[in-house]
Amino acid sequence: MLVLAGAGSGKTRVLVERMAFLMQHNGLSPHALMAVTFTNKAAREMRERLEQRVGRQLFQMWVGTFHGLAHRFLRAHWRDAGLIEAFVILDADDQVRLVKRVIQELGLDDAKFKPRALAGFINGCKDQGERPHHLQTGRDYYHDRCVEVYRRYEALCLQSHLVDFGELLLRTFETLKSNAALLEHYQARFRHVLIDEFQDTNTIQYAWIRLLAGPHTCVTAVGDDDQSIYAWRGARIENIHRFQTEFAPVHVVRLEQNYRSTEVILEAANAVIANNQGRMGKQLWTDQGRGEPISLYAAFNEQDEARFVANRMMKAHDQGAKYSDLAILYRSNAQSRVLEDALLRAGIPYRIYGGQRFYERLEIKNALMYLRLIQSRLDDTAFERVVNVPPRGIGDKTVDLIRDTARDQGMGLWQASTFLIEQRALSGRARAQLAGFLALIDRFDVKALDLELHELTAQVVDESGLLAYHGSEKGERGQARIDNLNELVSACRGFEPEDPDLPVLLQFLSQASLDAGDNQADPDADAVQLMTLHSAKGLEFPDVFLVGAEEELFPHRMSMDSDGGLEEERRLAYVGLTRAMRRLTITYAESRRLNGRDHFGLLSRFIREIPAELIEEVRLETQVSRPFAPSAFGARPVARPQRHPRADAWGDDFETGLAIGSRVDHSMFGEGTVLAFEGAGANVKVQVRFDDGGSRWLVMAYAKLVPLG
C-alpha cells in the first residue's frame, strides 16, 4: 500500500491506527510488525500513541529510525556482522575528527582535503552501498586521494571497533544479504513493514527495505512526493515512484484533507506545487474556513524587513497571541542574524530551533568521551579527545609520538601509550602524566563494577577535573556548562536500559549517539521560533513569517541551474506555506546584504505563482492592507512609503524629512540612497549607499544631506 499523505493530513494517526487494527482485529503479534521513521522523536511518539491505542506496553516491538533498528540488529547479530559485542557508535563530530587524523597520517593538505567534506564523501559512498573497493580510481588525483582516505578510515574503524551512522545501515544490509538463514528468519518474522516519510529514503534505505520484505510481507509506504526536500543529503524522490512498480500490485490511497490550515493558505500551496512536473497528484482541502489573505511586505532592505517582522510580532503578542505561536522561516541560516538583532532590540524572546544539541555541546562531548574510554580502551577517538582535557601536560609532540607508534606497531592509541611508557620512550614528565591518565581511566573502570550509571558519571565529571575546568569559564557560560554536566548525570539517572544482557554504560552511550541528531529545543517555552525551511518540516504554527522570498535566495541561486533543483526548491516553498495554520506573512527585500555582498531582489517566482486574489500588500506607514496589485509581480517591487517608517512602527517622535529609499546628495560622497536609520532625536544616524558602491553611516546633524526629487 502507498499512502500519499498531504501536509497536515494526519499520517501519524494513519500509521498508528493501521498497526492497532492489525493487532486487535487481525490478531497479528506486535513482534510481526516493524515500523520505520526518520527521527527518534517521531519514533517515540509513534510508539507512545500505539501503546495508548492498544492499552499495553510494546517494549520489544521494532519501532524506530532506520539507524536505530539497524543498531538493534547489529547488537543482536554482532558475530554475523563481523563486529565485537562492545562496538562503539561514532557520531558525526567524532567521524570528522577521525577523518582529520587520516588526512594527517597520509600527509595530505587539509586546506584542499577538508575533513568535513571527506566525511561527507564517505557517507555518500555508504549511502550508495559502496565500499572503497567498489570505487574506480585513476580518474583524477583528488578522487583517488578521497578513496585512499576512505580505505584508511575503514581500517581504523575496524581496528578500533567503531561504527559510524552510515555503517549501521550498510553493515546491516550486507549481513542480511550474505546470510540466507538470517534473512529468511526476518522475512518470515515481519509480516507487515510500515515506513514513514518514504519520500526521504536514500539508496541504501530503499535497498534495505526491499531486501527485508519477503514474499509474504505487506509493505505500507507513507509519504508525500511534494515534500521531498532532502536530496542534498541523499534522499531520492524516485524511490516513491519506483515503489509502485517494484512492489506491485500496489493500492494507492490519497490523504487530501488538511486539518491544519485555512482555505487561503492551502489554495496558495496547491497553486505553487502545481507547477512541478511528474507529481503523483493530490489536491489539499480543508474545512477550517476561508481565513485571512496572505500578507506580503516589500521591505527596502533586510533591516527594514526584520523591524517589520518584530513589530508585527509585538502587535500579535499585545493582542493575546503567545510568542510560541509565532515562527520565522528562512531559506539560509545566514539570514537569522539581522532577525535576531531586531527581536533583541524589541525585547521579544526567541529560540533558534535546531540550535546546538545537548549531546553535541563541548562539555557533554568531553564527559561522554571519558565514559566511552572506560567502556573500551580501543576507542582511539575518545582517547585522542580527552588525553589532555583538562590540560595535564600531555602536549602535541607526545600525542604525535603516540599516533606514530600506533601506526607503526599496528595497535590502538591506548596500547601505544602503554608501550611507550614501558619502553621509557617519553620524557620523565610526559611519561608520568600519561601514566596518570591511564591509571585514572583504569580506576574508573574498576568503580564501574559497583556504581550505578549516574554515580559513575558524577565521579567521572568531578574526579577527571571536567567540572572545575568548564566551570572556570567566566560569566554565565561557565555556570551553564556546569548545569549541563549536572543534567548529564540526571540523564544517566533516568536512563532505562532495554537489554538486560548488555552493559548499561554501553547501552547509554549508544543511545546518546543515536539521540545526538535529535532536536533539543524546548517546545513548552513561550518564545518565537526561528528556523530554516528544512528544519520546519513536520511542524506547524498559528502565525508564520516566511522571510527573504527573493529570486536567488529562494529559490537559491545554486538550485536554479537544473529543473530538478528548482523543483526541490518549489517543494520547499510548499512545505513552508503549509506550516501556517491561521496567518501567513511573506516578506522580501529590494536590497539585501548577505555573505558580504549586496543583492538586489526580485520577488520570488514561487510567490508570483500564488493567485493575486489570495494576497494583500502591507503598507508600513498605516499598517493597512489592500488587495495585492498584479503589477508588483513585475521587475520593480511595490512603491515605498514616503516618510520614515519608524515614525509609525516604533513611535519615535522625530522627523528627518527622509524615508528609507529616499535619494540624497552629499557634498563629499555624491548621490546615494537611504538604506536605514538608527537612534533618535539629535543622535539619529542614517545609512546611505552611494552610487560609487560605498555604504556609510552618517550622523544626520552633521551630514548636511540634500534630498533629491
Side-chain angles (χ1 to χ4, degrees):
M1 179 182 290
L2 175 61
V3 181
L4 290 175
S9 61
K11 63 183 177 59
T12 303
R13 182 179 179 187
V14 166
L15 286 163
V16 170
E17 290 294 326
R18 181 165 174 78
M19 288 188 285
F21 179 86
L22 290 170
M23 285 188 279
Q24 294 179 321
H25 293 273
N26 288 15
L28 199 70
S29 165
H31 295 280
L33 279 167
M34 183 175 75
V36 192
T37 186
F38 272 80
T39 69
N40 289 310
K41 179 182 176 183
R44 282 192 291 268
E45 180 186 355
M46 191 183 297
R47 182 191 293 275
E48 288 168 1
R49 288 171 65 170
L50 182 58
E51 288 177 341
Q52 291 174 357
R53 182 68 176 77
V54 300
R56 60 187 171 117
Q57 292 185 321
L58 302 167
F59 286 126
Q60 298 303 313
M61 184 176 170
W62 281 47
V63 178
T65 64
F66 277 101
H67 293 102
L69 295 181
H71 169 250
R72 184 171 180 171
F73 173 86
L74 293 176
R75 288 292 179 203
H77 303 287
W78 52 273
R79 285 193 184 89
D80 296 304
L83 299 169
I84 66 167
E85 186 175 12
F87 69 84
V88 175
I89 297 179
L90 197 67
D91 70 18
D93 186 47
D94 300 330
Q95 183 187 31
V96 172
R97 286 174 176 270
L98 187 56
V99 170
K100 185 174 182 179
R101 175 183 163 189
V102 172
I103 291 170
Q104 291 172 344
E105 283 189 6
L106 297 177
L108 299 175
D109 181 3
D110 60 6
K112 182 176 182 180
F113 296 91
K114 298 184 182 299
R116 196 166 295 279
L118 279 172
F121 169 79
I122 292 170
N123 293 334
C125 290
K126 291 189 177 187
D127 286 346
Q128 295 296 320
E130 295 175 329
R131 297 290 187 189
H133 64 270
H134 294 135
L135 303 174
Q136 292 184 351
T137 55
R139 295 188 302 178
D140 63 71
Y141 174 80
Y142 183 82
H143 179 265
D144 289 355
R145 298 294 78 73
C146 290
V147 175
E148 189 178 1
V149 169
Y150 185 11
R151 187 178 296 112
R152 176 59 182 158
Y153 168 85
E154 281 228 310
L156 286 176
C157 286
L158 187 64
Q159 176 182 306
S160 299
H161 306 287
L162 301 173
V163 176
D164 60 36
F165 275 28
E167 186 69 18
L168 288 171
L169 289 172
L170 182 54
R171 184 69 66 104
T172 297
F173 175 78
E174 291 173 342
T175 303
L176 285 169
K177 192 173 183 181
S178 63
N179 191 321
L182 200 57
L183 178 60
E184 289 173 8
H185 164 76
Y186 280 102
Q187 286 180 338
R189 173 180 171 174
F190 294 125
R191 303 301 304 275
H192 281 264
V193 175
L194 301 94
I195 308 101
D196 193 11
E197 305 286 8
F198 196 78
Q199 76 282 349
D200 292 334
T201 54
N202 62 26
T203 299
I204 193 67
Q205 289 163 347
Y206 183 82
W208 195 75
I209 291 296
R210 283 205 68 192
L211 184 66
L212 202 56
H216 305 294
T217 303
C218 297
V219 179
T220 302
V222 182
D224 183 3
D225 58 322
D226 289 334
Q227 295 188 74
S228 179
I229 59 174
Y230 296 119
W232 51 276
R233 68 183 190 196
R236 298 176 64 88
I237 189 174
E238 51 266 40
N239 288 349
I240 200 168
H241 296 288
R242 291 169 58 191
F243 183 83
Q244 288 182 273
T245 302
E246 297 180 359
F247 287 83
V250 173
H251 177 52
V252 179
V253 178
R254 286 174 169 81
L255 303 183
E256 297 177 300
Q257 182 176 2
N258 175 286
Y259 297 93
R260 172 193 299 157
S261 306
T262 64
E263 290 179 1
V264 166
I265 291 168
L266 294 185
E267 286 178 16
N270 287 333
V272 172
I273 200 63
N275 291 279
N276 273 3
Q277 304 298 312
R279 296 173 58 232
M280 305 187 81
K282 62 185 174 307
Q283 191 79 1
L284 294 181
W285 63 275
T286 185
D287 58 8
Q288 301 294 307
R290 186 66 185 165
E292 300 178 12
I294 297 169
S295 298
L296 178 68
Y297 178 66
F300 186 73
N301 60 15
E302 68 271 24
Q303 286 90 0
D304 182 24
E305 177 184 61
R307 290 188 192 112
F308 167 77
V309 171
N311 184 47
R312 272 272 170 129
M313 288 185 161
M314 284 193 297
K315 289 193 172 183
H317 188 258
D318 290 343
Q319 293 168 3
K322 295 190 297 183
Y323 282 128
S324 55
D325 289 341
L326 312 175
I328 305 176
L329 312 184
Y330 38 79
R331 177 62 180 84
S332 168
N333 273 312
Q335 293 171 252
S336 73
R337 184 189 60 80
V338 176
L339 292 162
E340 289 183 67
D341 185 58
L343 295 176
L344 284 169
R345 287 172 180 266
I348 297 175
Y350 70 90
R351 173 167 287 100
I352 302 291
Y353 188 91
Q356 191 178 34
R357 303 167 177 91
F358 180 77
Y359 287 111
E360 295 176 346
R361 293 169 185 166
L362 174 66
E363 62 278 14
I364 300 302
K365 288 285 291 183
N366 288 340
L368 290 176
M369 291 301 167
Y370 271 96
L371 294 174
R372 278 175 46 170
L373 202 52
I374 294 166
Q375 174 61 40
S376 172
R377 307 299 193 279
L378 299 174
D379 193 337
D380 284 356
T381 304
F383 179 97
E384 197 167 10
R385 176 157 184 150
V386 298
V387 66
N388 197 40
V389 176
R392 51 175 57 91
I394 302 173
D396 291 342
K397 289 185 178 179
T398 301
V399 175
D400 288 341
L401 181 58
I402 295 171
R403 286 198 200 100
D404 293 341
T405 303
R407 183 179 64 249
D408 295 340
Q409 299 293 327
M411 56 178 61
L413 298 181
W414 181 278
Q415 292 88 344
S417 299
T418 303
F419 176 82
L420 289 171
I421 291 170
E422 291 173 349
Q423 298 296 316
R424 293 185 169 272
L426 298 169
S427 67
R429 184 172 184 275
R431 186 170 68 249
Q433 294 295 339
L434 184 58
F437 172 72
L438 301 185
L440 176 69
I441 300 300
D442 285 336
R443 285 200 305 274
F444 286 144
D445 196 7
V446 172
K447 289 182 178 183
L449 299 173
D450 301 315
L451 295 176
E452 295 288 338
L453 177 62
H454 70 277
E455 295 173 327
L456 172 66
T457 305
Q459 290 201 17
V460 166
V461 298
D462 185 22
E463 296 178 20
S464 68
L466 285 178
L467 205 61
Y469 173 64
H470 289 299
S472 65
E473 289 192 42
K474 294 181 179 179
E476 295 180 1
R477 178 173 292 184
Q479 185 57 49
R481 294 199 189 280
I482 290 176
D483 292 342
N484 288 336
L485 288 169
N486 290 331
E487 182 60 28
L488 177 64
V489 175
S490 297
C492 291
R493 189 193 303 272
F495 177 70
E496 295 180 2
E498 291 187 358
D499 192 336
D501 298 323
L502 279 177
V504 176
L505 176 57
L506 176 62
Q507 293 186 66
F508 175 76
L509 291 171
S510 297
Q511 190 60 50
S513 293
L514 292 169
D515 281 346
D518 270 5
N519 194 290
Q520 301 293 328
D522 180 4
D524 299 321
D526 188 26
V528 172
Q529 302 274 2
L530 278 71
M531 66 194 74
T532 64
L533 284 155
H534 284 99
S535 299
K537 188 169 177 292
L539 303 176
E540 58 185 40
F541 301 93
D543 285 20
V544 167
F545 292 78
L546 202 166
V547 301
E550 301 138 35
E551 290 287 300
E552 297 193 0
L553 181 57
F554 188 44
H556 196 278
R557 59 185 177 82
M558 295 181 66
S559 304
M560 295 172 67
D561 294 336
S562 68
D563 291 340
L566 194 57
E567 293 208 341
E568 174 144 336
E569 290 285 294
R570 186 174 283 110
R571 292 193 291 270
L572 193 56
Y574 174 82
V575 167
L577 296 173
T578 54
R579 298 312 94 192
M581 299 168 67
R582 294 198 304 265
R583 281 182 292 274
L584 175 62
T585 302
I586 300 171
T587 65
Y588 71 106
E590 296 176 15
S591 171
R592 182 183 303 275
R593 189 160 186 82
L594 195 62
N595 299 324
R597 294 175 53 207
D598 286 323
H599 300 263
F600 299 94
L602 173 66
L603 181 63
S604 168
R605 69 189 70 193
F606 304 144
I607 311 307
R608 286 181 271 145
E609 290 167 355
I610 298 174
E613 63 269 18
L614 301 180
I615 296 179
E616 285 187 348
E617 178 199 347
V618 177
R619 289 303 191 112
L620 187 59
E621 69 271 28
T622 59
Q623 294 299 301
V624 172
S625 299
R626 64 178 177 77
F628 183 63
S631 61
F633 288 150
R636 283 295 302 163
V638 296
R640 303 301 308 137
Q642 293 305 304
R643 52 193 297 264
H644 179 31
R646 292 184 63 191
D648 290 300
W650 298 84
D652 291 336
D653 57 356
F654 67 94
E655 183 63 60
T656 66
L658 299 175
I660 289 178
S662 294
R663 293 286 294 171
V664 295
D665 182 62
H666 188 275
S667 59
M668 181 180 298
F669 304 123
E671 295 184 10
T673 303
V674 175
L675 298 182
F677 293 86
E678 187 176 274
N683 296 319
V684 69
K685 293 192 296 184
V686 61
Q687 185 186 23
V688 180
R689 184 180 62 237
F690 292 98
D691 294 347
D692 64 2
S695 177
R696 293 174 174 83
W697 281 97
L698 305 170
V699 179
M700 282 293 296
Y702 307 106
K704 297 181 180 179
L705 294 173
V706 178
L708 299 176

